[in-house]
Amino acid sequence: MWNKRRWTRLGAALLCAGLMPGQTMQVFAKSPEFARTAEEWETLRDDRLDYNEIPDLVHEYNNTVIQNQIAYRDERDQDRDDVAQDYYDRANEIYNNLEYPDTDDASYGSRMAAALSSEQQAQSLMEQGDESVEDSETIKLGYDKTEAELVKQAQSLMITYWSQYYSLDTSRSAVSQAEASYQTAQNRLAAGMNTQSDVLTAKEAVSNAEASLLSAESSFNTTKENLCQMLGWSYGAQVEIGELPEPDGEAIAAIDLQADIARALENSYSYQITAKQLANARTASGKEKLAQTQKNQKEAISNDVGDKYQSLTLAKSSYDQAVQAYELEQASLASAERKLAAGTITQKAYSEQQAACGNARVAVQTKKLALLQAQVDYDWAVNGLASVS
């Protein structure tokens, strides 16, 4: 069966291939049909987003990744001399079309300025050819890095989506509380226990709370649209967003920081690109510059992984404390329920305990999302995206 998502992606694939909807085509994604099982394709093509699908969805359906793949078809066999020759060819084309005006030309000044600018551009292209250190391998690494960055971005967006989703409850609660306070202010005014100014202040609080809720809903919807579109859905598609995974406390506890720093250096796209560029360098100055860049990157990667590890452990500690606090509030709420039934506390005291328990639950959700984001940041630092600056 054809669902909305599948047709949208087929249309995108057709356009990328230079075909129009209505013409036949064998593929629906970046990879050929035989690259995955029928069950795997069915999962990717349904209208539900699960967190663990994100890398595959980016690989198959993200427009930037698809365009990079198309571009790489013309670049995959290039060595450093081919890339350099591209610069030389562009420079020669400018030189061949270069014309200097006669001194008696009415527009001599502007035409000479244009000619000198073109000459300077050609010289710059020749120098770039001389200094070129790119080849198909560095180009491919750059495209792979872009894809990895997009996966990380999508994972972070999904975390943001759920963070905003939980925040909507807080915003809605704020509106309800403001409305209740406004009603109370009106009742007190009718009883002669309040002023009109107090009522207007309470009414303004309702308007402010409603405006905050509308803003929160708008941000939430924008986040969902951005997430879905970067994974291949069309604007406004009805997509079910799956739950996030639970924090992996055992994996965090088992981290070997020094081993991960070594892995981060080995996996770093930027470091690999620099190493290949250094091997391709023709001039002594170019080699010296790239060797220094490589040295700086090595130190930066080590520092970045260390910093992200510290952030991860702090986030884990904060999450554990929030869970413990919530468990205590749950116990207190259970005790308050028994006391309320026995008539030993007031309804107001019980409601306050309910609110405290609710706040503790929200704190757990917030800390959980912060921990997941810290995990994403650390894992990607180890897996190729550690900062090199």
Side-chain angles (χ1 to χ4, degrees):
M1 293 181 63
W2 291 89
N3 60 20
K4 182 177 181 182
R5 173 198 183 105
R6 189 171 185 178
W7 173 248
T8 298
R9 289 179 172 169
L10 173 58
L14 291 170
L15 291 174
C16 287
L19 303 175
M20 293 301 293
Q23 293 178 265
T24 59
M25 187 175 181
Q26 296 298 316
V27 297
F28 306 104
K30 176 172 168 288
S31 298
E33 194 75 6
F34 60 77
R36 301 179 186 273
T37 66
E39 291 76 14
E40 289 172 335
W41 281 122
E42 186 63 29
T43 298
L44 293 181
R45 289 169 178 161
D46 63 21
D47 284 322
R48 174 182 168 85
L49 169 60
D50 291 314
Y51 184 82
N52 61 1
E53 294 178 330
I54 288 176
D56 289 336
L57 291 171
V58 168
H59 183 73
E60 298 296 349
Y61 299 117
N62 180 268
N63 184 60
T64 297
V65 173
I66 292 173
Q67 294 299 327
N68 286 346
Q69 176 67 16
I70 293 171
Y72 187 64
R73 294 171 188 168
D74 296 328
E75 302 163 331
R76 65 192 319 156
D77 296 323
Q78 290 189 335
D79 59 23
R80 66 173 187 176
D81 294 327
D82 293 325
V83 176
Q85 190 61 49
D86 287 340
Y87 286 109
Y88 297 147
D89 290 344
R90 289 160 58 193
N92 286 329
E93 183 178 354
I94 293 174
Y95 280 130
N96 291 335
N97 293 312
L98 197 59
E99 293 184 1
Y100 293 96
D102 295 330
T103 55
D104 57 354
D105 193 305
S107 56
Y108 174 81
S110 59
R111 291 186 61 189
M112 177 57 75
L116 291 175
S117 176
S118 295
E119 182 180 354
Q120 186 177 20
Q121 182 183 4
Q123 290 174 349
S124 176
L125 287 168
M126 294 293 287
E127 291 171 0
Q128 290 180 63
D130 293 340
E131 296 293 332
S132 174
V133 291
E134 305 298 335
D135 59 16
S136 60
E137 187 174 343
T138 62
I139 294 170
K140 179 64 165 58
L141 284 168
Y143 289 154
D144 289 345
K145 179 184 178 184
T146 296
E147 182 170 338
E149 289 170 336
L150 288 166
V151 172
K152 179 184 177 183
Q153 181 185 350
Q155 290 172 336
S156 297
L157 269 177
M158 189 165 177
I159 294 172
T160 300
Y161 167 88
W162 280 108
S163 176
Q164 292 175 337
Y165 176 86
Y166 295 134
S167 295
L168 286 177
D169 287 339
T170 302
S171 297
R172 293 186 185 107
S173 177
V175 171
S176 297
Q177 292 174 4
E179 289 174 340
S181 296
Y182 176 52
Q183 185 61 53
T184 299
Q186 288 181 311
N187 293 340
R188 289 174 61 85
L189 177 64
M193 301 169 61
N194 219 345
T195 65
Q196 186 64 41
S197 176
D198 294 326
V199 174
L200 291 175
T201 298
K203 184 177 181 180
E204 183 179 3
V206 172
S207 297
N208 291 338
E210 289 175 340
S212 295
L213 175 58
L214 286 174
S215 177
E217 289 175 337
S218 176
S219 296
F220 172 73
N221 291 331
T222 297
T223 297
K224 182 179 180 180
E225 287 294 347
N226 290 340
L227 173 62
C228 291
Q229 288 186 64
M230 74 180 298
L231 298 179
W233 278 281
S234 60
Y235 180 84
Q238 298 302 306
V239 182
E240 178 186 356
I241 308 297
E243 295 285 344
L244 292 168
E246 291 296 315
D248 192 345
E250 292 184 4
I252 295 172
I255 286 176
D256 182 336
L257 181 58
Q258 293 308 312
D260 277 355
I261 289 175
R263 286 178 56 211
L265 187 63
E266 180 181 353
N267 293 333
S268 171
Y269 295 102
S270 296
Y271 191 79
Q272 291 180 68
I273 290 171
T274 301
K276 182 60 178 174
Q277 289 173 333
L278 179 57
N280 288 342
R282 296 176 173 83
T283 65
S285 61
K287 291 179 180 180
E288 182 179 358
K289 180 180 178 180
L290 286 166
Q292 183 61 47
T293 297
Q294 196 174 46
K295 179 181 177 181
N296 295 342
Q297 287 179 337
K298 184 175 182 178
E299 182 178 355
I301 289 169
S302 177
N303 291 337
D304 189 53
V305 174
D307 290 344
K308 286 184 168 57
Y309 175 72
Q310 293 299 321
S311 297
L312 178 59
T313 55
L314 286 174
K316 176 65 165 57
S317 177
S318 295
Y319 173 70
D320 290 341
Q321 292 174 11
V323 170
Q324 293 172 1
Y326 180 44
E327 290 172 349
L328 290 174
E329 292 296 347
Q330 284 181 307
S332 297
L333 181 59
S335 175
E337 288 175 349
R338 293 191 295 270
K339 291 178 181 179
L340 181 65
T344 57
I345 62 170
T346 64
Q347 180 64 46
K348 179 181 178 181
Y350 175 72
S351 297
E352 289 174 349
Q353 183 57 52
Q354 275 187 314
C357 190
N359 290 336
R361 184 183 69 255
V362 171
V364 169
Q365 293 170 335
T366 301
K367 299 298 183 182
K368 171 187 172 181
L369 295 175
L371 176 55
L372 286 172
Q373 184 61 62
Q375 256 189 302
V376 168
D377 292 340
Y378 180 80
D379 289 345
W380 275 113
V382 173
N383 291 323
L385 295 181
S387 175
V388 292
S389 59

